[in-house]
Amino acid sequence: GQNIDQPTEMTATEGAIVQINCTYQTSGFNGLFWYQQHAGEAPTFLSYNVLDGLEEKGRFSSFLSRSKGYSYLLLKELQMKDSASYLCAVRAYTGGFKTIFGAGTRLFVKA
Amino acid sequence: NAGVTQTPKFRILKIGQSMTLQCTQDMNHNYMYWYRQDPGMGLKLIYYSVGAGITDKGEVPNGYNVSRSTTEDFPLRLELAAPSQTSVYFCASSYSFQQGDQPQHFGDGTRLSIL
């Protein structure tokens, strides 16, 4: 089966940098997504990694190491509006392509 | 550009009642998904569809049924509502192909309470 682990909660200060880790165990790995979800709202796409390395998109970057089953999301220059849950999702081929979501990391940004 | 549209946004059901949650997308995506999200938890995949006429079970399919008669529509049916099905339900769609994947687009969710 598949297993995805993320920290439950993190707190960081406005203007700082925070790294949210995600570890996964799966066969047939075919890509990893990060989504942002504000309270009471739908998830929205942030980043996608399928090869090892770093993908940068403005203040957000995502890293993947397939051999270690590890990814992180890096948020720079934190803003209050970054307070949200961050969901790691793994796509894998298990007789068909499925995307399984982790439980999410709730990030609190304080002034 | 509507994206993924879910109806209703809120609903209260009595135990044993049935209902259908509607989902439609206008992006010509081949894949569609239904998730449930319990308070403070992640998304659990209920059912998904890789194209019209094809559906498959996700992690938590019991108590639900789906159909995909067209590319645009993917309704989720609850036949005998139970309190354990109280949750927020999200429909999503994506364009997926074997070599890669585009991100999923989510509807605004349906908040369902069963009393």
Side-chain angles (χ1 to χ4, degrees):
Chain A
Q2 293 175 297
N3 190 46
I4 301 173
D5 288 313
Q6 306 178 235
T8 304
E9 288 186 358
M10 299 181 71
T11 301
T13 305
E14 194 175 17
I17 298 173
V18 70
Q19 178 175 311
I20 302 174
N21 295 324
C22 171
T23 57
Y24 64 89
Q25 294 170 322
T26 187
S27 55
F29 176 83
N30 195 256
L32 187 144
F33 296 85
W34 285 96
Y35 288 83
Q36 180 190 59
Q37 185 179 25
H38 285 100
E41 297 183 8
T44 56
F45 169 74
L46 287 178
S47 70
Y48 174 60
N49 296 72
V50 66
L51 299 176
D52 290 351
L54 190 68
E55 294 282 341
E56 296 187 80
K57 226 188 223 187
R59 294 190 300 114
F60 292 17
S61 303
S62 57
F63 172 83
L64 175 67
S65 168
R66 289 172 295 171
S67 62
K68 295 181 180 177
Y70 168 68
S71 173
Y72 67 73
L73 181 69
L74 194 70
L75 291 75
K76 303 175 188 174
E77 301 168 13
L78 279 173
Q79 301 175 9
M80 300 298 286
K81 67 178 182 179
D82 297 329
S83 292
S85 287
Y86 291 86
L87 309 177
C88 173
V90 173
R91 183 172 186 251
Y93 184 81
T94 54
F97 286 105
K98 290 183 186 176
T99 301
I100 302 298
F101 284 77
T105 298
R106 198 176 305 177
L107 175 66
F108 298 94
V109 180
K110 58 183 181 179
Chain B
N1 190 7
V4 179
T5 303
Q6 290 183 239
T7 57
K9 294 191 185 305
F10 303 94
R11 185 71 184 269
I12 298 174
L13 282 182
K14 293 183 179 178
I15 295 171
Q17 285 186 319
S18 61
M19 78 163 294
T20 299
L21 281 66
Q22 302 291 345
C23 176
T24 187
Q25 54 97 3
D26 62 359
M27 296 171 283
N28 202 31
H29 286 166
N30 53 346
Y31 275 49
M32 294 188 75
Y33 316 81
W34 273 106
Y35 296 94
R36 61 176 287 173
Q37 187 174 37
D38 298 330
M41 305 294 285
L43 298 166
K44 295 291 186 183
L45 182 65
I46 305 171
Y47 271 96
Y48 69 105
S49 168
V50 304
I54 306 169
T55 63
D56 206 351
K57 296 178 181 178
E59 301 170 89
V60 290
N62 291 344
Y64 307 95
N65 280 301
V66 294
S67 60
R68 184 99 181 269
S69 57
T70 67
T71 299
E72 295 78 18
D73 300 307
F74 191 41
L76 177 72
R77 178 89 178 154
L78 282 72
E79 290 294 350
L80 288 171
S84 61
Q85 294 177 305
T86 293
S87 191
V88 179
Y89 291 83
F90 287 103
C91 177
S93 72
S94 70
Y95 181 70
S96 296
F97 48 99
Q98 191 161 359
Q99 293 77 19
D101 207 359
Q102 292 190 354
Q104 295 182 28
H105 296 253
F106 287 82
D108 289 335
T110 295
R111 283 148 185 81
L112 181 62
S113 294
I114 298 160
L115 306 175

